[in-house]
């Protein structure tokens, strides 16, 4: 995995190497093994390399022998061996063993349609000198990032926004529409980012830049058409198992050691069990634990460690650990977050790096693809209940949701009914599944300043999202509609980004995701809904397919999503004060007033409430983390200051590396 950057000048002026150098230096954390720059008149590429495949021969930017094509590439093409064989049969000759060279030859053979043949995770740019254009593409699920901006006379792109900010004419401003969307959906709707004028190339999209014009199109679509109802459960399970085994084997292709995360949940256990039982690869696993036992899953991790006999290492996380690392975490996420969950993932990837590994397999994507989240269960109950709204028994079903959330479990049926928005008039909404979550998140906007509220008064994030839904959305089963919303919004915008790529690459670690192999995703979209969730039994088909590999205690345990302590990581309720001076500084009335995004009085009341240990609910936790992370971004990336966790927190005018 690597960092990429580039400049394409529409005024035909030559690209300055110094600007490319400045951009790629900000991405050293993504690839500390080597770096390179290539310029050709008005086009210049830069690359920061994490060497994983063909350690000696895969240097980038890479050119074809005739010099007509140049590529800068971040990611992996897992089926490069098979594609190489096909190309050789057509007469292509190779100078390296890298997948990067396969991309170049595939582009020669198929042009922009080459991505249809790739099984992998990628963001790359190819300069085609003959056509005088640059072709850029991003993988189907949005695993690897690609952001870009246009300024007078040029278009610039990179793996991360901080590389664009290394250019002197790129403005640093908050996009309030993106802030509005993030405080609704947890992530801006692509192509927006938190920064005005900086866009991301959406997942499954490609782009051509030519003569100062940009053309963007979607090359792959999620399509839910559950069918083949006559197929038996065993038949579906056998195909899923074969696909997952192959997807895992493909993702073990590397010239360095590959480790695996082991959370104690079903998905990472499946990945680790496949490595143990269907490959000859050594099995080294890594986990994060918590001092706060409400979040800790170490007992389940230990059970899988014993079952698989792994060489295992663990990092234990305290409130202070999360609060201390949070400024660094936000420097990598480059967008506000509403939970601290990325912070322990950053510490976990550091453990992997310190253990001399560069690659880890994870179970990400299984919940979205195979129907594991509680929001799917929640939707099913709410629809079931809406058919008999006066039922006295059905409210009890809501107690089956989120068993790990003590405050919610203590609420009355009337409160739960209101909380989960059992409203007949919303039954036909395309967003029925997500309205409770988005309604709760939107309440955080009460903290916005009067000026921000005024500027956003006529915006409707849900209408904007609805305009992006595919034509066939209304034809899908409601369960699949909920899956789609998770797969195109929260997964690429938060799970794979803030909690995924950015936390792993912050420590030069590449994550690989067998459940997001596009063949698995396409297969899962055809599975009958009853085999995804049987009654309220989530990921039913996966559990059935892997029943001989995973102990019953793991397969049948209640679903517990990965979470981390939020407000307590920043505020010590025993001492009734912030744990770190930077928290005190960034949430002070003066700093809030200066940045102008949030109401100082309202934020002060929230902080005081948390300090005094009064009932802290989900909304309070999300508000504190969201406001603090936004303030950190403004301080670090807009104003160019560094934030440390020492007593004297905010250093003056230190530009980000």
């Amino acid at each position: 995995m690597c960092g990429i950057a580039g400049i394409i000048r529409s005024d035909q002026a030559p690209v300055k190497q110094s600007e490319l150098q400045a951009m790629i230096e900000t991405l050293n954390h993504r690839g500390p093994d080597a770096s390179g720059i290539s310029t050709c008149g008005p086009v210049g590429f830069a690359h920061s390399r994490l060497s994983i495949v063909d350690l000696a021969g895969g240097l980038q930017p890479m050119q074809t022998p005739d010099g007509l094509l140049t590529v800068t590439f971040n990611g992996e093409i897992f089926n490069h061996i098979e594609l190489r064989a096909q190309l050789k049969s057509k007469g292509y000759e190779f100078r390296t063993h890298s997948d990067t060279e396969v991309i170049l030859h595939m582009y020669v053979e198929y042009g922009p349609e080459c991505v249809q043949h790739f099984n992998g995770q990628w963001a790359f740019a190819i300069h085609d000198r003959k056509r005088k254009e640059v072709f850029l593409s991003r993988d189907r699920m949005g695993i690897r990032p690609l952001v870009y901006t246009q300024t007078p006379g040029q278009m610039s792109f990179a793996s991360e926004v901080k590389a664009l900010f290394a250019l002197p004419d790129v403005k640093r401003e908050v996009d309030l529409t993106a802030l509005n969307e993030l405080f609704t959906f947890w992530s801006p709707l692509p192509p927006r980012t938190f920064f005005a004028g900086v866009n991301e190339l959406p997942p499954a999209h490609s782009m051509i830049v030519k003569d100062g014009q940009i053309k963007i199109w979607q090359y792959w679509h999620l399509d839910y058409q559950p069918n083949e109802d006559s197929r038996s459960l065993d038949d579906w399970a056998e195909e899923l198992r074969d696909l997952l085994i192959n997807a895992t084997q493909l993702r073990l292709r590397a010239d360095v050691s590959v480790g695996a995360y082991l959370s104690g949940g079903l998905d990472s256990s499946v990945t680790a069990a496949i490595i143990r039982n269907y490959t000859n690869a050594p099995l080294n696993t890594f986990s994060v634990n918590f001092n706060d036992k409400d979040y800790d899953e170490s007992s389940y991790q230990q059970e899988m460690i014993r079952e698989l006999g792994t060489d295992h290492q663990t990092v234990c996380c305290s409130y202070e650990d999360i609060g201390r690392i949070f400024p660094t975490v936000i420097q990598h996420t480059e967008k506000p977050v509403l939970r601290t969950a990325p912070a322990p993932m950053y510490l976990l990837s550091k453990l992997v790096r310190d253990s001399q590994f560069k690659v880890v397999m994870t179970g990400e994507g299984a919940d979205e693809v195979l129907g594991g989240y509680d929001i799917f269960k929640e939707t099913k109950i709410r629809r079931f209940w809406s058919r008999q709204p006066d039922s006295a028994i059905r409210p009890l079903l809501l107690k089956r949701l989120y068993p790990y959330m003590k405050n919610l479990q203590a609420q009355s049926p009337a409160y739960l009914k209101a909380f989960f928005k059992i409203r007949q008039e919303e039954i036909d909404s395309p967003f029925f599944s997500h309205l409770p979550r988005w309604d709760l998140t939107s309440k955080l906007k009460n903290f916005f300043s009067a000026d921000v509220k005024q500027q956003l008064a006529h915006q409707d994030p849900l209408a904007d999202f609805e305009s992006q839904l595919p034509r066939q959305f209304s034809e899908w089963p409601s369960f699949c509609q909920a899956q789609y919303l998770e797969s195109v919004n929260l997964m690429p915008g938060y799970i794979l980004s803030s909690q995924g790529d950015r936390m792993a690459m912050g420590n030069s670690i590449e994550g690989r995701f067998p459940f997001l192999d596009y063949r698995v995703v396409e297969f899962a979209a055809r599975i009958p809904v009853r085999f995804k969730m049987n009654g309220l039994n989530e990921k039913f088909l996966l559990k059935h397919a892997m029943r001989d590999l995973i102990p019953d205690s793991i397969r049948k345990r209640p679903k517990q999503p990965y979470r981390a302590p939020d407000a307590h990581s920043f505020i010590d309720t025993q001492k009734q004060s912030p744990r770190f001076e930077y928290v005190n500084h960034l949430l002070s009335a003066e700093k809030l007033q200066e940045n102008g995004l949030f109401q100082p009085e309202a934020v002060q009341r929230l902080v005081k409430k948390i300090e005094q240990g009064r009932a802290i609910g989900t909304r309070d936790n999300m508000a504190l983390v969201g406001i603090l992370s936004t303030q950190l971004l403004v301080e670090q990336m807009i104003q160019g200051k560094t934030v440390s966790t020492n007593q004297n927190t905010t250093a003056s005018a230190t530009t980000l590396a």
Side-chain angles (χ1 to χ4, degrees):
M1 205 56 58
C2 310
I4 62 174
I7 297 173
I8 306 157
R9 296 201 63 104
S10 56
D11 58 8
Q12 301 306 306
V15 172
K16 296 177 183 175
Q17 287 217 5
S18 59
E19 291 191 341
L20 291 170
Q21 186 66 39
M23 293 177 77
I24 207 62
E25 283 179 358
T26 67
L27 302 178
N28 281 342
H29 55 278
R30 297 187 69 91
D33 297 331
S35 66
I37 289 175
S38 172
T39 60
C40 181
V43 177
F45 288 169
H47 190 265
S48 184
R49 187 184 185 209
L50 181 65
S51 307
I52 291 174
V53 175
D54 192 359
L55 305 187
L59 295 176
Q60 296 187 52
M62 182 181 288
Q63 287 189 332
T64 50
D66 58 14
L68 291 177
L69 298 176
T70 304
V71 65
T72 185
F73 163 48
N74 167 31
E76 304 290 344
I77 306 300
F78 297 118
N79 61 336
H80 70 99
I81 293 175
E82 290 77 10
L83 295 175
R84 179 184 296 267
Q86 293 174 22
L87 290 165
K88 281 185 173 179
S89 71
K90 294 174 182 286
Y92 287 88
E93 296 180 356
F94 288 83
R95 295 170 295 162
T96 75
H97 299 289
S98 74
D99 50 350
T100 309
E101 191 176 11
V102 170
I103 291 176
L104 281 171
H105 289 320
M106 287 295 288
Y107 179 81
V108 172
E109 182 67 20
Y110 298 105
E113 288 299 302
C114 64
V115 296
Q116 300 288 356
H117 301 262
F118 295 160
N119 184 347
Q121 47 195 44
W122 67 82
F124 66 77
I126 295 175
H127 178 204
D128 187 332
R129 288 180 61 190
K130 194 173 180 180
R131 293 178 180 272
K132 297 181 178 179
E133 63 187 29
V134 175
F135 170 66
L136 302 98
S137 186
R138 191 174 174 208
D139 64 72
R140 296 175 181 85
M141 306 308 293
I143 297 170
R144 296 302 154 214
L146 186 59
V147 293
Y148 64 95
T149 189
Q150 289 180 283
T151 51
Q154 73 179 47
M155 179 269 201
S156 310
F157 68 88
S159 297
E160 299 181 13
V161 177
K162 55 180 66 70
L164 302 178
F165 283 170
L167 299 173
D169 54 350
V170 177
K171 294 181 180 177
R172 303 181 180 203
E173 297 175 350
V174 176
D175 184 330
L176 291 183
T177 298
L179 187 70
N180 194 18
E181 292 172 350
L182 193 143
F183 276 70
T184 306
F185 309 121
W186 287 47
S187 175
L189 296 173
R192 288 187 185 280
T193 72
F194 179 71
F195 302 100
V198 176
N199 290 330
E200 70 166 328
L201 184 64
H205 280 67
S206 293
M207 169 195 289
I208 285 179
V209 184
K210 183 172 186 175
D211 299 330
Q213 302 296 311
I214 288 178
K215 176 187 175 186
I216 297 175
W217 71 97
Q218 188 170 2
Y219 66 83
W220 183 82
H221 300 78
L222 268 170
D223 189 9
Y224 296 89
Q225 299 290 343
N227 58 19
E228 302 176 67
D229 269 356
S230 60
R231 286 183 69 179
S232 69
L233 175 64
D234 286 338
D235 195 27
W236 282 104
E238 182 179 351
E239 186 172 350
L240 174 61
R241 182 169 171 136
D242 289 346
L243 276 170
L244 284 175
I245 290 170
N246 185 257
T248 305
Q249 291 170 335
L250 278 184
R251 280 156 182 77
L252 284 170
R253 288 176 171 175
D255 294 328
V256 298
S257 299
V258 178
Y261 285 164
L262 193 60
S263 69
L266 177 67
D267 312 331
S268 62
S269 297
V270 165
T271 303
I274 289 175
I275 296 173
R276 170 58 80 217
N277 289 280
Y278 289 94
T279 76
N280 294 319
L283 185 51
N284 294 269
T285 53
F286 302 89
S287 298
V288 61
N289 296 333
F290 295 96
N291 288 347
D292 187 333
K293 296 306 175 189
D294 283 350
Y295 303 89
D296 192 61
E297 299 183 75
S298 56
S299 61
Y300 293 108
Q301 294 164 8
Q302 289 301 319
E303 186 158 351
M304 280 309 297
I305 292 165
R306 288 193 296 272
E307 177 78 15
L308 299 175
T310 76
D311 184 352
H312 188 76
Q313 297 185 65
T314 298
V315 60
C316 191
C317 227
S318 67
Y319 297 145
E320 288 80 6
D321 292 331
I322 293 171
R324 186 179 302 110
I325 205 68
F326 200 63
T328 303
V329 165
I330 298 305
Q331 200 168 348
H332 286 295
T333 62
E334 297 187 330
K335 69 178 79 166
V337 295
L338 305 180
R339 291 283 172 83
T340 61
M345 296 305 293
Y346 181 83
L347 296 172
L348 180 58
S349 69
K350 184 176 186 304
L351 172 67
V352 176
R353 187 67 186 182
D354 291 345
S355 304
Q356 309 304 312
F357 282 78
K358 293 182 178 180
V359 182
V360 288
M361 305 274 266
T362 90
E364 298 292 3
D367 286 317
E368 292 84 352
V369 170
L370 294 167
Y373 282 132
D374 267 338
I375 197 168
F376 305 141
K377 208 178 288 185
E378 175 188 319
T379 305
K380 202 169 180 179
I381 292 174
R382 289 168 60 232
R383 284 201 181 277
F384 181 60
W385 192 0
S386 67
R387 289 196 286 271
Q388 288 190 32
D390 297 326
S391 168
I393 298 174
R394 294 186 177 189
L396 299 177
L397 286 172
L398 294 176
K399 291 283 186 182
R400 300 275 297 274
L401 299 171
Y402 310 101
Y404 47 87
M405 298 178 73
K406 295 177 183 175
N407 290 344
L408 193 65
Q409 288 297 314
Q411 300 297 334
S412 67
Y415 176 92
L416 293 175
K417 182 178 179 182
F419 182 84
F420 289 113
K421 290 171 71 76
I422 312 292
R423 299 175 189 166
Q424 191 67 28
E425 65 271 21
E426 291 172 347
I427 195 76
D428 294 325
S429 167
F431 301 129
F432 177 81
S433 59
H434 283 63
L435 289 177
R437 177 198 289 173
W438 295 345
D439 185 56
L440 176 66
T441 308
S442 294
K443 287 185 168 55
L444 308 185
K445 298 176 199 176
N446 290 331
F447 289 94
F448 284 175
S449 68
D451 180 54
V452 170
K453 286 179 180 174
Q454 186 177 13
Q455 293 189 57
L456 299 177
H458 301 294
Q459 293 192 4
D460 185 349
L462 268 63
D464 293 339
F465 199 171
E466 189 166 358
S467 71
Q468 294 186 3
L469 295 179
R471 178 184 46 79
Q472 63 273 32
F473 181 86
S474 61
E475 300 168 6
W476 296 337
S478 60
F479 191 93
C480 298
Q481 290 177 340
Q483 282 189 284
Y484 177 84
L485 296 177
E486 284 292 276
S487 298
V488 303
N489 178 241
L490 192 73
M491 184 169 73
Y494 173 75
I495 300 289
L496 295 177
S497 175
S498 299
Q499 199 169 291
D501 172 271
R502 300 307 181 90
M503 294 305 100
M505 291 310 300
N507 286 301
S508 309
I509 294 297
E510 173 181 295
R512 295 183 175 184
F513 316 95
F515 287 101
L516 294 180
D517 184 309
Y518 79 95
R519 299 168 303 166
V520 175
V521 175
E522 291 179 349
F523 166 81
R526 302 198 312 270
I527 298 171
V529 170
R530 70 179 187 282
F531 289 158
K532 294 180 185 174
M533 183 171 288
N534 191 262
L536 294 180
N537 188 0
E538 75 278 1
K539 285 182 290 198
F540 178 69
L541 184 64
L542 178 64
K543 292 174 180 174
H544 185 72
M546 300 296 170
R547 60 193 183 282
D548 60 325
L549 297 183
I550 309 297
D552 281 355
S553 55
I554 301 294
R555 271 194 315 124
K556 296 180 179 178
R557 62 171 290 201
K559 168 73 178 171
Q560 179 171 330
Y562 163 67
R563 300 179 303 143
D566 292 312
H568 288 296
S569 299
F570 306 107
I571 293 177
D572 187 333
T573 53
Q574 291 187 338
K575 295 181 179 177
Q576 297 197 0
S577 64
R579 295 182 186 275
F580 303 95
E581 182 56 29
Y582 82 87
V583 177
N584 201 35
H585 173 71
L586 293 174
L587 299 184
S588 67
E590 295 76 17
K591 200 64 187 175
L592 290 160
Q593 189 74 40
E594 176 187 328
N595 291 344
L597 297 176
F598 301 103
Q599 296 179 56
E601 301 80 10
V603 175
Q604 297 284 296
R605 283 196 297 273
L606 172 68
V607 171
K608 186 60 67 181
K609 178 182 178 183
I610 297 172
E611 284 179 348
Q612 294 175 346
R614 287 184 276 157
I616 306 170
T618 302
R619 185 171 54 187
D620 297 330
N621 276 296
M622 290 169 61
L624 185 80
V625 177
I627 293 166
L628 181 60
S629 58
T630 304
Q631 289 285 95
L632 276 166
L633 275 171
V634 172
E635 191 83 353
Q636 295 182 130
M637 294 197 68
I638 301 287
Q639 299 175 358
K641 298 177 181 178
T642 55
V643 176
S644 76
T645 52
N646 297 325
Q647 283 299 308
N648 297 320
T649 52
T650 306
S652 60
T654 302
T655 304
L656 284 172

